């Protein structure tokens, strides 16, 4: 009998956000694929999960996917987790999911933590229609992408690192306008969680005065 692939979300900060079902699946799986086994090891130890782990990340997923598919076809149940949040959302997971679907393997994604959902809802910006952009291109293609997004009418969601936020907010002002509404949520679910809202110019001024730290989700109003 063929096995199954589970995509299992893990907390983005607060361990209390781990679901009962996620713990159960990870305990019962034959193998856990983890983005960073050191990071995930702490999580598994906290919840007394003793399932064996293998490393599965952006640098090796092209090489390991075929073998994982074969193991599932051989009857193993395998669970995929990332360092935080839901696998395949700006993290490894898409390639393996696509390969399993193509091979006729059952894939089950559990509901759970994803950083952009609370950031979007908490922003106060329209969330009936939105587009998830993830990380902008670092260099090549960045200008072209921003030019396209300048005409986007839906609310736009970005992920950004602290040391690039000032530059990115400056680009938003240049391409979207200084008055475009922006919301930046950082350290979601963690002790120092906060959301800064205002015009792009106001939010830039805030972070120029107070250097950004932690994981960031940036929500930008549509045109």
């Amino acid at each position: 009998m063929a096995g199954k692939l589970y995509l299992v979300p893990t907390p983005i900060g607060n361990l209390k956000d781990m679901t009962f079902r996620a713990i159960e699946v990870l305990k019962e799986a034959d193998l856990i694929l983890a983005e960073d086994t050191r990071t995930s090891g702490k999580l598994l130890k906290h919840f007394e999960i003793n399932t064996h782990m293998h490393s599965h990340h952006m640098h090796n997923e092209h090489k390991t996917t075929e073998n994982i598919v074969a193991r599932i076809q051989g009857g193993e149940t395998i669970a995929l987790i990332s360092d935080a949040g839901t696998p395949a959302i700006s993290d490894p997971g898409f390639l393996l999911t696509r390969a399993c679907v193509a091979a006729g393997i059952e894939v089950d994604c559990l509901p759970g933590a994803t950083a952009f959902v609370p950031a979007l809802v908490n922003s106060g910006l329209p969330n009936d229609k939105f587009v998830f952009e993830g990380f902008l291109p670092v260099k090549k293609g960045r200008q072209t992408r921003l030019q396209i997004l300048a005409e986007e009418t839906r609310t736009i969601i970005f992920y950004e690192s602290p040391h690039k936020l000032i530059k990115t907010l400056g680009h938003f002002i240049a391409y979207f306008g200084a008055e475009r509404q922006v919301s930046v949520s950082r350290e979601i679910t963690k002790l120092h969680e906060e959301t800064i809202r205002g015009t792009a110019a106001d939010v830039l001024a805030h972070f120029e005065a107070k250097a950004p730290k932690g994981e960031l989700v940036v929500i930008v109003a549509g045109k």
Side-chain angles (χ1 to χ4, degrees):
M1 182 178 292
K4 185 175 182 179
L5 174 67
Y6 281 100
L7 306 175
V8 183
T10 55
I12 57 176
N14 193 323
L15 290 178
K16 294 179 181 178
D17 292 331
M18 189 74 167
T19 68
F20 293 120
R21 186 179 172 207
I23 295 170
E24 181 181 79
V25 167
L26 293 179
K27 284 185 175 181
E28 294 180 356
D30 295 303
L31 175 69
I32 295 173
L33 302 175
E35 188 177 1
D36 186 328
T37 55
R38 294 165 299 180
T39 300
S40 297
K42 298 174 184 177
L43 177 77
L44 301 191
K45 183 178 179 180
H46 179 83
F47 290 106
E48 300 180 345
I49 299 168
N50 299 313
T51 308
H52 186 64
M53 280 191 295
H54 277 183
S55 180
H56 183 82
H57 48 72
M58 63 180 292
H59 301 295
N60 74 354
E61 59 181 338
H62 288 85
K63 299 178 181 178
T64 59
T65 293
E66 184 177 344
N67 179 58
I68 295 166
V69 169
R71 291 184 64 163
I72 299 174
Q73 287 175 322
E76 292 188 51
T77 294
I78 293 181
L80 173 66
I81 60 177
S82 62
D83 288 346
T86 300
I89 303 297
S90 291
D91 275 325
F94 163 68
L95 291 179
L96 180 57
T97 300
R98 180 177 64 179
C100 286
V101 170
I105 292 170
E106 185 178 358
V107 178
D108 191 350
C109 182
L110 276 59
T114 302
F116 79 77
V117 174
L120 171 64
V121 175
N122 197 32
S123 70
L125 296 172
N127 52 39
D128 56 331
K129 295 181 176 65
F130 58 88
V131 55
F132 176 74
E133 281 292 314
F135 290 96
L136 280 165
V138 177
K139 293 180 180 179
K140 187 178 180 181
R142 187 180 181 93
Q143 180 178 349
T144 300
R145 194 71 205 144
L146 287 166
Q147 289 173 337
I148 293 171
L149 292 173
E151 301 302 316
E152 176 60 63
T153 57
R154 295 167 293 182
T155 300
I156 314 168
I157 303 167
F158 300 94
Y159 285 165
E160 191 52 281
S161 60
H163 67 279
K164 294 179 183 175
L165 180 64
I166 299 296
K167 178 182 178 181
T168 296
L169 289 171
H171 285 159
F172 289 166
I173 290 173
Y175 288 90
F176 304 157
E179 297 303 309
R180 185 74 69 94
Q181 290 294 309
V182 172
S183 173
V184 177
S185 292
R186 71 177 197 90
E187 296 292 83
I188 296 172
T189 78
K190 300 178 183 177
L191 181 62
H192 300 291
E193 177 178 358
E194 69 172 352
T195 296
I196 306 299
R197 308 174 185 85
T199 65
D202 291 338
V203 174
L204 174 59
H206 171 87
F207 285 109
E208 285 178 331
K210 184 180 180 181
K213 296 180 181 180
E215 301 293 328
L216 302 168
V217 184
V218 184
I219 313 295
V220 180
K223 182 177 180 181

